[in-house]
């Protein structure tokens, strides 16, 4: 009986996991609960330490300011891999966060198979900002209701990364809480496409992918910086660089993502390996690159 009671006992918020924002490491420490920033989440009948949620919060908190001017904060799976050693655990917990409606998975524009992970509240704020942008340009028009329908009707009921055209129209037009059905026009769907909140699938014209408004310039900058960083290491006799050398470099004025964002991405994609030395962390280009 005692064992069963102990098994059911909840882990208290004071036992949450704390992030070291400077080093990027995950530490177990005392912390008070914080709405969206809470470092524990209950995904099953028992509360568990959720390292992926902690890492995601850290990445969102450290999202590059230049990029934040374009798009709502998000993280890449590769960056989460760089912070949490167990990649299988990351994959499983990301799926739990998605199905639990705590995180929205969004397609990156100009990228073949990469997705961004964004907190649900940030996603709703992004949609609202897109609505305000279109309202400023076109005034208060009936079509703008579709932005609220996306956050109030589609997001709570649908957690997949893609959606068929017919199902999208059904969810947008149905308010289950009040038993109301609204007519959804193709012009309203086009408005979501134009805002960057939806993308058409290249293989199926009736399939949409959920995406991020304003992400284009950030993704373009990231792809360019990835290429330039790798090419720079290839030109060296030894394709490696100390972290302290990178910290001394002046940031590129046109870059929308900073070195920290980039390095975590490259480590998580196995483009770089990180080795601790007496002179500090050493980044080395992997042989396959």
């Amino acid at each position: 009986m005692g064992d069963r009671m102990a098994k059911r006992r909840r882990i208290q918020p004071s036992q949450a996991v704390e992030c070291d924002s400077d080093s990027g490491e995950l530490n177990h420490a005392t912390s008070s609960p914080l709405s969206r920033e809470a470092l524990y989440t209950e995904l099953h009948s028992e509360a568990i330490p959720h390292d992926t949620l902690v890492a995601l919060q850290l990445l969102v908190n450290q999202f590059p300011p230049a990029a934040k001017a374009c798009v709502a904060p998000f993280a890449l799976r590769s960056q989460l891999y760089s912070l949490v050693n167990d990649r299988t655990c990351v994959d499983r917990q990301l799926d739990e966060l998605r199905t639990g409606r705590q995180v929205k998975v969004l397609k990156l524009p100009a990228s073949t198979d990469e997705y961004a992970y964004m907190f649900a509240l940030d996603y709703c704020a992004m949609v609202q900002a897109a609505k305000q942008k279109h309202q400023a340009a076109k005034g208060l028009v009936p079509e703008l209701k579709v932005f609220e329908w996306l956050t109030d009707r589609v997001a709570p009921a649908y957690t997949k990364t893609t959606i068929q055209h017919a199902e999208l129209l059904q969810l947008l037009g149905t308010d289950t809480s009040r038993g109301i059905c609204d007519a959804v026009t193709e012009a309203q769907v086009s408005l979501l496409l134009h805002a960057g909140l939806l993308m058409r699938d290249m293989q199926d014209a009736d399939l949409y992918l959920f995406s991020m408004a304003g992400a284009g310039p950030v993704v373009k900058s990231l792809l360019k910086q990835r290429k330039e960083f790798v090419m720079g290491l290839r030109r060296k006799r030894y394709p490696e660089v100390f972290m302290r050398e990178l910290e001394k470099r002046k940031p590129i004025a046109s870059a929308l993502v900073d070195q920290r964002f980039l390095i975590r991405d490259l480590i998580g994609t196995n483009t770089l390996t990180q080795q601790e030395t007496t002179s500090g962390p050493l980044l080395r280009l992997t042989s396959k690159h």
Side-chain angles (χ1 to χ4, degrees):
M1 180 70 177
D3 292 339
R4 280 184 293 174
M5 291 298 291
K7 185 176 180 180
R8 294 179 182 177
R9 188 174 59 234
R10 302 293 189 204
I11 297 175
Q12 298 302 316
S14 61
Q15 295 174 291
V17 181
E18 184 178 56
C19 288
D20 185 331
S21 60
D22 294 325
S23 66
E25 296 179 351
L26 310 180
N27 303 314
H28 292 272
T30 300
S31 177
S32 56
L34 301 168
S35 59
R36 178 170 65 81
E37 291 82 2
L39 303 181
Y40 261 124
T41 182
E42 293 191 8
L43 297 175
H44 303 293
S45 61
E46 296 180 23
I48 58 172
H50 206 314
D51 288 346
T52 302
L53 182 61
V54 179
L56 180 58
Q57 184 63 61
L58 173 67
L59 292 168
V60 166
N61 289 345
Q62 296 180 346
F63 195 70
K68 193 180 294 185
C70 302
V71 66
F74 65 87
L76 304 175
R77 186 183 294 257
S78 57
Q79 295 171 321
L80 293 166
Y81 284 164
S82 74
L83 294 176
V84 182
N85 291 330
D86 189 341
R87 297 190 175 202
T88 301
C89 178
V90 171
D91 294 341
R92 175 176 56 80
Q93 292 183 338
L94 279 177
D95 197 53
E96 290 170 342
L97 288 170
R98 176 186 63 80
T99 57
R101 295 169 177 79
Q102 293 175 277
V103 166
K104 191 73 175 173
V105 184
L106 307 167
K107 181 70 172 63
L108 287 181
S111 180
T112 55
D113 59 352
E114 289 188 275
Y115 291 82
Y117 297 84
M118 182 181 292
F119 281 113
L121 289 180
D122 289 334
Y123 174 76
C124 292
M126 177 185 68
V127 175
Q128 180 64 24
K131 174 188 174 182
Q132 292 174 353
K133 180 179 179 181
H134 280 265
Q135 183 173 326
K138 298 184 179 182
L140 190 61
V141 294
E143 286 80 6
L144 291 178
K145 290 182 180 179
V146 74
F147 290 98
E148 294 179 7
W149 293 345
L150 183 63
T151 56
D152 297 345
R153 300 176 180 180
V154 180
Y158 197 86
T159 62
K160 297 180 181 179
T161 58
T162 60
I163 187 169
Q164 290 288 336
H165 180 76
E167 189 169 13
L168 175 65
L169 294 181
Q170 180 183 2
L171 289 175
L172 284 172
T174 306
D175 185 343
T176 56
S177 63
R178 295 189 295 170
I180 296 175
C181 291
D182 294 292
V184 183
T185 67
E186 293 299 328
Q188 288 175 311
V189 176
S190 296
L191 195 57
L192 296 178
L193 287 165
H194 183 68
L197 297 170
L198 291 176
M199 294 172 55
R200 288 191 185 276
D201 184 83
M202 300 299 293
Q203 307 298 325
D204 186 349
D206 287 329
L207 187 67
Y208 300 105
L209 300 96
F210 294 99
S211 58
M212 294 185 293
V218 177
V219 175
K220 184 178 179 181
S221 179
L222 173 62
L223 295 176
K224 180 181 178 182
Q225 288 177 254
R226 281 176 178 170
K227 182 178 180 180
E228 291 178 349
F229 191 92
V230 171
M231 289 180 63
L233 286 183
R234 281 178 180 169
R235 287 193 291 264
K236 300 178 68 173
R237 182 177 180 183
Y238 299 104
E240 57 191 31
V241 62
F242 281 103
M243 188 74 77
R244 68 170 185 270
E245 294 180 30
L246 295 178
E247 293 170 351
K248 294 177 182 178
R249 294 181 184 178
K250 293 182 179 180
I252 303 172
S254 60
L256 295 180
V257 300
D258 54 26
Q259 289 281 5
R260 179 165 53 188
F261 188 97
L262 177 65
I263 295 304
R264 284 173 173 162
D265 169 59
L266 293 175
I267 291 175
T269 57
N270 292 324
T271 303
L272 295 177
T273 59
Q274 180 173 318
Q275 178 182 348
E276 294 299 327
T277 72
T278 55
S279 300
L282 177 68
L283 300 173
R284 180 178 291 118
L285 195 64
T286 57
S287 58
K288 66 178 181 179
H289 293 88

